[in-house]
Amino acid sequence: MAKRAISAQAVAQTEEATKNAIVMPFLRVLGFDVFDPTQIIPEYVADVGLKKGEKIDYACKIGDRIEYLVEAKSVSTNLRDAQFSQLFRYFHTCDANIGILTNGLHIWFFTDLEAPNKMDATPFFKFDLLSYDDNDLKELEKFHKSNFRIENIQAAASSLKYLRGAMSFIEGQWASPDEEFVRLVARGFYDGKLTGAVVEGLKPIVRRAFDDLFRQRARHKIDVAFDGGADDAIPAVDENKVDTTPDELQGFMIVRAIAAEVAPVSRITMRDAQSYCAIMFDDNNRKPIARLHFNGKSKFVTVFGADKEGVRHEIGRVEDIFGLGGPIRSVISNYLSGQ
């Protein structure tokens, strides 16, 4: 599905093309027969107040009830800027449980956590076809037609809403801790009086504590990849004696840490080259896992699929490779199953 989305991205610039090339296949992934009018109703019409004859792109039925309403935008549309007032109005009129807004590459899921039968202004779950992990797939599975249980989805939606809020708060405090937060943390280790001057002096310490804690946790996860730090954990690079940079080595260690969940890390090997650093399974160039492209102005990682086709992922920092855990584990599992 992701491969189809990437291929269609360059040509499916209209809403209709996006629907045919990406959205309909996505609905099939969710278990719907897109050609069965008892399951999928395209161009669904319902009169909403004074607005007559408005259409929503798809209404998805499970049993005899419309559960999902889908509004599609062109693949070039940024969903943050998209207008989707029809989805809000139809959500209330049709008593649907889930509203879906998509441009084919990004799929946003809405429900009514704030007020009954009124769609929330912000999505409780976002799925990105170009960048997802195992947790995202587990959440997406809840929306499959055969798995649909509205009570499970609503419980997950509530949890995801608060998780998103907690992450946003922590991220903000990490970047710039406010006085109240610093006082809360300081009470755990500072015995003196927390005057304004003391709190101001502790702010950079609290911010540094966030950074150091993250590094320690990341380092612990990376260390798993080395089976306790064996001397032969890092294989030699190829005979060209290309200089392997610290970023490439760190990237390789992160891929090993991810791979450790599905395979012995000794089977994950590296060969450096002039233009990229290759990571392979069993030191076999016919079993590529990823390529680290860190020598240019921007960093990106190519992760290979079962068809040996590579998918490019732009990253800002080497640590962002942790976000590619799903596709990395998937290609390794394919090699294991083919033994």
Side-chain angles (χ1 to χ4, degrees):
M1 182 66 206
K3 183 180 177 183
R4 174 188 287 269
I6 293 169
S7 300
Q9 187 175 8
V11 294
Q13 295 299 311
T14 66
E15 288 185 16
E16 199 62 33
T18 300
K19 287 189 285 187
N20 291 335
I22 312 175
V23 179
M24 289 179 67
F26 177 74
L27 293 177
R28 292 183 65 183
V29 169
L30 293 185
F32 292 95
D33 182 345
V34 296
F35 301 109
D36 183 349
T38 67
Q39 297 184 34
I40 299 293
I41 307 173
E43 299 295 311
Y44 181 69
V45 178
D47 292 334
V48 183
L50 298 177
K51 292 183 177 291
K52 306 296 183 180
E54 280 198 320
K55 299 177 181 179
I56 200 77
D57 292 310
Y58 300 101
C60 306
K61 296 182 70 175
I62 300 178
D64 58 358
R65 177 185 167 87
I66 293 176
E67 298 289 358
Y68 303 161
L69 295 175
V70 182
E71 183 167 349
K73 301 297 183 182
S74 71
V75 73
S76 60
T77 300
N78 187 327
L79 293 188
R80 287 190 296 270
D81 303 326
Q83 297 296 318
F84 47 99
S85 55
Q86 288 176 236
L87 192 57
F88 279 94
R89 291 194 293 270
Y90 271 61
F91 188 88
H92 171 71
T93 301
C94 301
D95 292 327
N97 284 302
I98 302 295
I100 300 175
L101 176 69
T102 180
N103 63 1
L105 302 178
H106 305 95
I107 303 101
W108 290 6
F109 294 82
F110 299 80
T111 190
D112 55 351
L113 295 175
E114 303 295 339
N117 299 322
K118 182 180 180 181
M119 195 177 90
D120 299 335
T122 56
F124 66 88
F125 176 51
K126 297 180 180 181
F127 187 84
D128 184 348
L129 273 170
L130 303 183
S131 177
Y132 57 86
D133 57 24
D134 287 349
N135 288 331
D136 294 328
L137 289 175
K138 288 177 182 177
E139 292 299 331
L140 188 65
E141 285 175 0
K142 295 184 175 71
F143 298 94
H144 192 278
K145 181 171 175 283
S146 63
N147 298 334
F148 180 81
R149 300 290 185 277
I150 187 56
E151 59 273 13
N152 293 344
I153 290 179
Q154 288 175 336
S158 181
S159 296
L160 288 169
K161 172 188 174 183
Y162 292 121
L163 175 63
R164 185 173 64 244
M167 290 175 64
S168 177
F169 173 77
I170 292 171
E171 185 177 21
Q173 295 300 328
W174 186 344
S176 180
D178 60 31
E179 181 175 335
E180 182 180 356
F181 183 78
V182 172
R183 288 182 180 275
L184 175 65
V185 174
R187 292 189 189 104
F189 66 87
Y190 188 80
D191 296 329
K193 185 177 180 180
L194 291 170
T195 64
V198 169
V199 170
E200 194 64 28
L202 289 175
K203 280 186 178 181
I205 295 175
V206 172
R207 186 164 56 245
R208 173 67 183 275
F210 266 120
D211 289 337
D212 287 353
L213 181 60
F214 174 79
R215 290 193 188 97
Q216 289 172 15
R217 292 179 68 87
R219 171 58 59 185
H220 175 73
K221 189 168 185 179
I222 291 171
D223 286 346
V224 173
F226 289 94
D227 283 338
D231 292 337
D232 61 349
I234 305 174
V237 298
D238 66 3
E239 62 277 7
N240 294 324
K241 296 183 179 180
V242 176
D243 288 335
T244 301
T245 67
D247 279 352
E248 288 172 334
L249 183 56
Q250 184 183 3
F252 169 64
M253 291 190 292
I254 291 174
V255 172
R256 270 199 157 189
I258 293 169
E261 299 181 25
V262 293
V265 296
S266 59
R267 303 183 72 175
I268 312 303
T269 58
M270 176 179 71
R271 291 188 198 175
D272 205 354
Q274 292 284 352
S275 58
Y276 59 81
C277 178
I279 302 175
M280 298 167 292
F281 190 73
D282 285 345
D283 200 24
N284 187 338
N285 58 15
R286 294 185 179 181
K287 295 182 178 181
I289 298 171
R291 289 178 180 173
L292 311 180
H293 300 264
F294 291 172
N295 296 329
K297 292 182 179 180
S298 61
K299 292 182 173 67
F300 67 94
V301 178
T302 300
V303 180
F304 292 86
D307 54 4
K308 307 297 175 65
E309 292 290 330
V311 177
R312 173 171 172 155
H313 302 272
E314 303 287 344
I315 63 172
R317 304 172 305 164
V318 179
E319 292 88 345
D320 294 343
I321 297 174
F322 279 119
L324 306 178
I328 289 173
R329 284 189 290 270
S330 178
V331 64
I332 294 170
S333 296
N334 284 330
Y335 292 145
L336 286 169
S337 63
Q339 293 179 349

